[in-house]
Amino acid sequence: MSRPTPLSGFPEWLPAGRVVEQHVLATLQRTFELHGFAGIETRAVEPLDQLLRKGETSKEVYVLRRLQEETPWTGAADAVDAPRSPDDRQLGLHFDLTVPFARYVLENAGHLAFPFKRYQMQKVWRGERPQDGRFREFVQADIDVVGAGDLPYHYEVEIPLVIAEALGALADVGMPPVRILVNNRKVAEGFYRGLGLDDVDGVLRSIDKLDKVGPEAVADLLVAEAGATRDQAAACLELASISGTDAGVVDEVRTLAARHGVVSDLLETGLAELGALVTAAAERAPGVVVADLKIARGLDYYTGSVYETLMVGHEQLGSVASGGRYDTLASDGANTYPGVGLSIGVSRLVSRLLGADLVRASRPVPSAVVVAVAGEDTRAVSDRVAATLRSRGIPVEVAPTAAKFGKQIRYADRRGVPFVWFPGTPASTGADGTPVEATADQVKDIRSGVQAEADAATWEPPAEDRWPRVVAAG
Amino acid sequence: MSRPTPLSGFPEWLPAGRVVEQHVLATLQRTFELHGFAGIETRAVEPLDQLLRKGETSKEVYVLRRLQEETPWTGAADAVDAPRSPDDRQLGLHFDLTVPFARYVLENAGHLAFPFKRYQMQKVWRGERPQDGRFREFVQADIDVVGAGDLPYHYEVEIPLVIAEALGALADVGMPPVRILVNNRKVAEGFYRGLGLDDVDGVLRSIDKLDKVGPEAVADLLVAEAGATRDQAAACLELASISGTDAGVVDEVRTLAARHGVVSDLLETGLAELGALVTAAAERAPGVVVADLKIARGLDYYTGSVYETLMVGHEQLGSVASGGRYDTLASDGANTYPGVGLSIGVSRLVSRLLGADLVRASRPVPSAVVVAVAGEDTRAVSDRVAATLRSRGIPVEVAPTAAKFGKQIRYADRRGVPFVWFPGTPASTGADGTPVEATADQVKDIRSGVQAEADAATWEPPAEDRWPRVVAAG
């Protein structure tokens, strides 16, 4: 086997990078659990027909086949349509955690208490062309609340505030602040319809391109593809230009609507919701949540709040957490399950934290201590010291060989392990018959060179050295 | 969408089951890290040619294809052989964590310090027929130590002892004890060759069937397929019948070898290693490690110690942790990397712990407290109580609606949440102008019904109620 090379779009981290990723995941998990979200994990595969229910995503799906399957595929159409035995339905890898969650809710509805709050942190796969921050295999961390039949609006306020708290909890390790941009589909739809524009999806698709192509090109698109007049297009762009962190935004929209003669109950409902969100956010996460009326989100199943999240100073990376409210997350005919959720792009986040040298691990291995070995015949002595330290929760490894102590210290140093432990020797009799006194264990801080007597039953490393820490690299 | 049904072989847990699985994974992770193993995660896919290097496993591999890929597959042979552009090499899902780890070591050798100790806990996929304890998608937790050029024997002692400690750490939640059965390929090979049997792999394959078909059928196999005489077959079966937890096993083998005139340096080397392992294990994990000379392990790349692990009382489940020593985990021509490792079948373990009702979670949600909501206009009051409790590390959710308190208590009860918090009210003026006194917050233990005044800034739940616990279900 020659030396393998990485696969484009399938990121992997060295051990020090994985320490950072684990810290990010553990921090998110803790915040989610403090807010009462239960963890679930779904299988990586779903029946292909379920994955393709939203036509737009079909290009991203990886389809599975058992290598020794009897009937090899003959083409895409066949692969999708051909019915198989129930055990051998065509399967694909999930491309997000929302589709599997919707299926899980339907499958287990009888065993879940609603509203059901869950978090889910797993890999997803998309066969897109890899780019900076865009991968074929990546980790998402999702939270959703789903109701049976109905779901109160206040969860649309809670969800982005939980995400703000979760990402904010990473600030002390060097994660830049975020801005969660929020909008409300009811505001957009009410405004557009009030203007006389009925192709709401068409307008949203055009507005969604604002950051990419600029306002003039979007105006042309609105006229050409959404049936707008120049005046209607200008009004849509005016709406999209409104943003702010307090309820003043709501007044701005009302003023604009009045100026264009827009009267809409839907708009008023949306504005009341958006106002409640920014007001609560101003108290609970000051400066983080920004009402931004240009946020459209491509997917057409959102029906209320929509969210995108930018890292300050890294806006070009794109959104690191997106989502929204959907009135029909799932439905089994008898029941409809509305939901609201946000999905953090963990791999995108971690790859930037590592790639831009924002965050690093204090060491790549768990061990705080390497116990030296004086000779292979006394390795059991070193093993016993290690066991004593571990029994008190101190991560320890024993030196691989009974090399010269200088070499054993270099072994620890290469790994970033801060302490080397030298077991003492019991009392004995020298070659000339004189007694040799016992010596005590010693521990050396190899960064400072300070060495001192120590007892494995009581010694403690400094708290900041016990486990690898994740710290701002700046 | 009609109600979906589970996919055979792709296990998923309800939230309470996931609490158990997370506890198992966290316990294993902590033990591995206390022993200095660094966590890594590899991508889920490997180039198909790498996955198929060991011919025996080809039937298990799931192959991936992008749905919109230009050239659809026409068959298995084509799929394997057809070269693609480097970005579009044929990919399959990994069927274990050893093949990806070997590739990771080669790819990153320049950035790793050897001996490199790593743990890895991920899903793997095999297209086998699902059975009890045998899945198509399942979680493995692996530890391995890999050296550059050489790897001292003592790691073959350390690895099963770490696994014994990791699984032993689950005893207090109801995990049954395990027996780690160990053997040494050098003992088997030295003995067989000393008897005059040169088809060592053939003998091992036959002996591997002992538990399934019994000694008489194995004797027939040895004669028919491994070229043994009846006497040689009998000697192989005698060796396979030896087992024990101390160095007496070594003497038994020596006696047997002498009786059959077997003289072999390889046998002696293997016996010295096996003796060292059982001696160390007798001190460090009394009763757990059993030398069992019939353990063969199917895979032919093991070259020293081999391990299998049975759960006491659940032997029919098969091995829950298997592995061994391989002199060539990976090689890039210039360097060879020997390794030793063990892989825990986490899904098999967890599905038995749950399915046999051995272990359960104290509740399915993280929340220790539901904060009641008196009216939607005072939801912000409840939100502030929740934030105060969370800031002190207490998991809390706020009631979904301002229903009657009885209904809010039933909401908590349905989830197994032990406490309901009732925010107090500020001082006010009654309708008749008389002052109404402020009331204090109260918290109710809904199991006992006891309700008392409490302050969110200081109240603590009993330690055992703070987070969901995993407990023996017995």
Side-chain angles (χ1 to χ4, degrees):
Chain A
M1 188 176 184
S2 57
R3 177 141 168 235
T5 51
L7 279 179
S8 176
F10 292 86
E12 287 182 339
W13 316 122
L14 286 167
R18 176 65 179 160
V19 171
V20 171
E21 184 175 58
Q22 282 185 320
H23 178 79
V24 169
L25 291 169
T27 302
L28 299 179
Q29 175 176 347
R30 181 176 164 85
T31 305
F32 299 159
E33 293 185 346
L34 281 173
H35 284 264
F37 289 79
I40 69 163
E41 186 158 296
T42 58
R43 64 192 188 218
V45 304
E46 296 294 332
L48 195 55
D49 50 353
Q50 287 307 311
L51 292 172
L52 299 183
R53 286 200 306 151
K54 316 248 176 247
E56 282 195 282
T57 53
S58 64
K59 65 178 175 303
E60 303 171 348
V61 174
Y62 279 107
V63 189
L64 295 189
R65 184 176 60 87
R66 286 190 294 127
L67 190 58
Q68 303 280 321
E69 212 168 314
E70 301 68 25
T71 318
W73 283 334
T74 53
D78 177 64
V80 177
D81 300 333
R84 307 262 169 147
S85 70
D87 265 10
D88 261 338
R89 290 171 71 181
Q90 279 289 297
L91 302 176
L93 294 174
H94 56 217
F95 54 82
D96 71 8
L97 301 177
T98 305
V99 171
F101 175 54
R103 190 261 315 153
Y104 180 95
V105 165
L106 287 183
E107 191 175 312
N108 299 296
H111 303 283
L112 303 174
F114 293 95
F116 177 49
K117 303 170 74 170
R118 82 88 174 79
Y119 73 89
Q120 196 170 344
M121 309 197 297
Q122 288 183 242
K123 285 184 174 169
V124 305
W125 294 266
R126 295 184 190 176
E128 299 176 305
R129 187 170 298 278
Q131 302 168 34
D132 182 33
R134 191 178 291 275
F135 303 111
R136 292 187 151 184
E137 171 177 295
F138 55 101
V139 177
Q140 288 191 328
D142 283 28
I143 53 171
D144 284 88
V145 184
V146 60
D150 61 0
L151 184 73
Y153 173 73
H154 62 79
Y155 288 114
E156 294 177 54
V157 178
E158 177 181 350
I159 287 282
L161 291 173
V162 175
I163 294 292
E165 190 175 319
L167 295 175
L170 293 165
D172 62 351
V173 301
M175 161 99 184
V178 297
R179 296 284 173 268
I180 302 180
L181 312 181
V182 304
N183 194 3
N184 191 298
R185 276 286 165 88
K186 292 171 186 163
V187 172
E189 180 169 350
F191 186 85
Y192 301 153
R193 290 197 192 279
L195 275 181
L197 288 168
D198 286 333
D199 180 7
V200 173
D201 288 348
V203 177
L204 285 171
R205 269 198 305 275
S206 302
I207 293 291
D208 205 19
K209 296 184 175 131
L210 201 46
D211 280 344
K212 265 191 201 143
V213 302
E216 287 175 29
V218 168
D220 293 344
L221 275 173
L222 286 166
V223 171
E225 296 184 11
T229 65
R230 284 284 154 192
D231 282 353
Q232 289 171 328
C236 292
L237 285 167
E238 272 189 278
L239 180 70
S241 73
I242 294 174
S243 74
T245 57
D246 61 37
V249 165
V250 170
D251 299 329
E252 275 191 71
V253 175
R254 279 215 186 87
T255 305
L256 178 69
R259 187 146 49 79
H260 289 279
V262 169
V263 179
S264 160
D265 288 348
L266 190 62
L267 173 64
E268 279 306 318
T269 305
L271 285 175
E273 292 183 356
L274 190 60
L277 176 45
V278 292
T279 302
E283 177 192 335
R284 291 165 62 184
V288 175
V289 173
V290 181
D292 188 333
L293 279 292
K294 77 169 181 295
I295 298 302
R297 304 289 307 143
L299 299 171
D300 60 3
Y301 51 75
Y302 291 120
T303 53
S305 300
V306 289
Y307 318 106
E308 290 188 3
T309 307
L310 298 177
M311 242 161 75
V312 175
H314 300 264
E315 289 79 4
Q316 296 306 316
L317 185 62
S319 179
V320 295
S322 308
R325 156 90 187 208
Y326 23 77
D327 282 340
T328 310
L329 169 69
S331 171
D332 59 9
N335 292 291
T336 295
Y337 299 89
V340 57
L342 255 164
S343 173
I344 298 176
V346 174
S347 297
R348 174 177 288 192
L349 196 64
V350 170
S351 82
R352 177 56 59 106
L353 294 180
L354 294 173
D357 217 13
L358 298 169
V359 173
R360 62 176 183 81
S362 62
R363 59 180 187 257
V365 296
S367 319
V369 181
V370 168
V371 180
V373 176
E376 284 303 331
D377 56 332
T378 61
R379 175 171 291 278
V381 173
S382 301
D383 284 336
R384 277 192 283 271
V385 169
T388 303
L389 291 169
R390 280 184 204 118
S391 71
R392 297 191 298 109
I394 301 167
V396 182
E397 57 184 295
V398 177
T401 63
K404 286 182 181 160
F405 282 156
K407 198 173 167 194
Q408 297 190 45
I409 291 170
R410 282 196 299 281
Y411 169 88
D413 188 44
R414 260 202 323 277
R415 284 166 158 68
V417 177
F419 294 98
V420 175
W421 192 282
F422 302 98
T425 51
S428 62
T429 307
D432 60 355
T434 57
V436 177
E437 279 187 36
T439 63
D441 288 13
Q442 301 224 337
V443 65
K444 182 190 196 80
D445 182 331
I446 65 172
R447 299 160 301 188
S448 65
V450 173
Q451 185 165 335
E453 286 194 7
D455 179 346
T458 55
W459 179 82
E460 287 282 332
E464 69 271 20
D465 287 332
R466 179 178 287 246
W467 293 102
R469 273 170 309 130
V470 174
V471 292
Chain B
M1 188 176 183
S2 58
R3 176 139 168 237
T5 51
L7 279 179
S8 176
F10 292 86
E12 287 183 338
W13 316 123
L14 286 167
R18 176 65 180 160
V19 170
V20 171
E21 184 176 57
Q22 283 185 319
H23 178 80
V24 168
L25 291 170
T27 302
L28 299 179
Q29 176 175 348
R30 181 175 163 83
T31 305
F32 299 159
E33 293 185 345
L34 281 173
H35 284 263
F37 289 80
I40 69 163
E41 186 158 295
T42 58
R43 63 193 189 218
V45 304
E46 295 295 331
L48 195 55
D49 50 354
Q50 288 307 311
L51 292 171
L52 298 182
R53 287 199 307 151
K54 316 251 176 243
E56 282 195 284
T57 54
S58 64
K59 64 177 176 302
E60 303 172 348
V61 175
Y62 279 107
V63 189
L64 295 188
R65 183 175 60 88
R66 287 189 292 128
L67 190 58
Q68 304 281 322
E69 208 168 320
E70 299 70 25
T71 317
W73 283 334
T74 53
D78 177 61
V80 178
D81 298 333
R84 307 257 169 153
S85 71
D87 264 10
D88 261 339
R89 291 171 71 181
Q90 280 290 297
L91 301 176
L93 294 174
H94 56 218
F95 54 82
D96 71 6
L97 300 178
T98 305
V99 170
F101 175 54
R103 189 262 315 153
Y104 180 95
V105 166
L106 287 183
E107 191 174 312
N108 300 296
H111 303 282
L112 304 173
F114 292 96
F116 177 50
K117 302 170 73 170
R118 83 85 175 80
Y119 72 89
Q120 195 171 345
M121 308 197 299
Q122 288 182 242
K123 285 184 174 167
V124 305
W125 294 267
R126 295 184 190 176
E128 299 176 305
R129 185 169 299 279
Q131 302 169 33
D132 182 33
R134 190 179 291 274
F135 303 111
R136 292 187 153 184
E137 171 179 294
F138 54 101
V139 177
Q140 287 192 328
D142 282 29
I143 53 171
D144 284 87
V145 184
V146 60
D150 60 2
L151 185 74
Y153 172 73
H154 63 79
Y155 288 114
E156 294 177 54
V157 178
E158 177 181 350
I159 287 281
L161 291 172
V162 174
I163 293 292
E165 191 176 318
L167 294 176
L170 293 165
D172 61 351
V173 301
M175 161 98 185
V178 298
R179 297 284 174 270
I180 303 179
L181 312 181
V182 304
N183 195 2
N184 191 298
R185 275 288 166 89
K186 293 171 186 163
V187 172
E189 180 169 350
F191 186 84
Y192 302 152
R193 288 196 192 279
L195 276 180
L197 289 167
D198 287 332
D199 180 7
V200 174
D201 288 348
V203 177
L204 286 171
R205 270 197 304 276
S206 302
I207 293 292
D208 205 19
K209 297 183 175 132
L210 200 47
D211 281 344
K212 265 190 201 144
V213 302
E216 286 174 31
V218 168
D220 292 346
L221 276 174
L222 286 167
V223 171
E225 295 183 12
T229 65
R230 283 284 154 193
D231 281 354
Q232 289 169 327
C236 292
L237 286 166
E238 271 188 278
L239 180 70
S241 73
I242 295 174
S243 74
T245 58
D246 61 36
V249 166
V250 171
D251 299 330
E252 276 189 73
V253 176
R254 278 216 186 89
T255 305
L256 178 69
R259 189 146 48 79
H260 289 279
V262 169
V263 178
S264 161
D265 288 346
L266 190 63
L267 174 64
E268 278 307 315
T269 304
L271 285 174
E273 292 183 355
L274 190 61
L277 175 46
V278 293
T279 302
E283 177 192 335
R284 291 165 61 183
V288 175
V289 173
V290 181
D292 188 332
L293 279 292
K294 78 169 178 298
I295 298 302
R297 303 289 307 141
L299 299 170
D300 60 4
Y301 51 76
Y302 291 120
T303 54
S305 301
V306 290
Y307 317 106
E308 290 189 2
T309 307
L310 298 176
M311 244 163 74
V312 174
H314 300 263
E315 289 78 5
Q316 296 307 315
L317 184 62
S319 179
V320 294
S322 308
R325 155 91 187 207
Y326 24 76
D327 282 340
T328 310
L329 169 68
S331 172
D332 58 10
N335 292 292
T336 295
Y337 299 88
V340 56
L342 255 163
S343 173
I344 298 176
V346 174
S347 297
R348 174 177 289 190
L349 196 64
V350 170
S351 84
R352 177 55 59 106
L353 294 180
L354 295 173
D357 217 12
L358 299 169
V359 173
R360 64 176 181 83
S362 62
R363 59 180 187 257
V365 296
S367 319
V369 180
V370 167
V371 180
V373 175
E376 283 303 330
D377 55 332
T378 60
R379 175 172 292 277
V381 173
S382 302
D383 284 335
R384 278 192 282 273
V385 169
T388 302
L389 290 168
R390 280 184 204 119
S391 72
R392 298 191 299 107
I394 301 167
V396 181
E397 59 183 294
V398 177
T401 63
K404 287 182 182 160
F405 281 157
K407 197 172 167 194
Q408 297 191 44
I409 290 170
R410 282 197 298 282
Y411 169 88
D413 188 44
R414 261 205 321 277
R415 282 166 160 69
V417 178
F419 294 97
V420 175
W421 192 283
F422 301 97
T425 51
S428 62
T429 308
D432 60 356
T434 57
V436 178
E437 279 188 36
T439 63
D441 288 14
Q442 300 222 337
V443 66
K444 184 189 193 81
D445 182 331
I446 65 173
R447 298 160 302 187
S448 65
V450 173
Q451 185 165 336
E453 286 193 7
D455 179 347
T458 55
W459 179 81
E460 287 283 332
E464 70 271 20
D465 287 332
R466 179 178 287 247
W467 293 101
R469 272 169 311 128
V470 174
V471 292

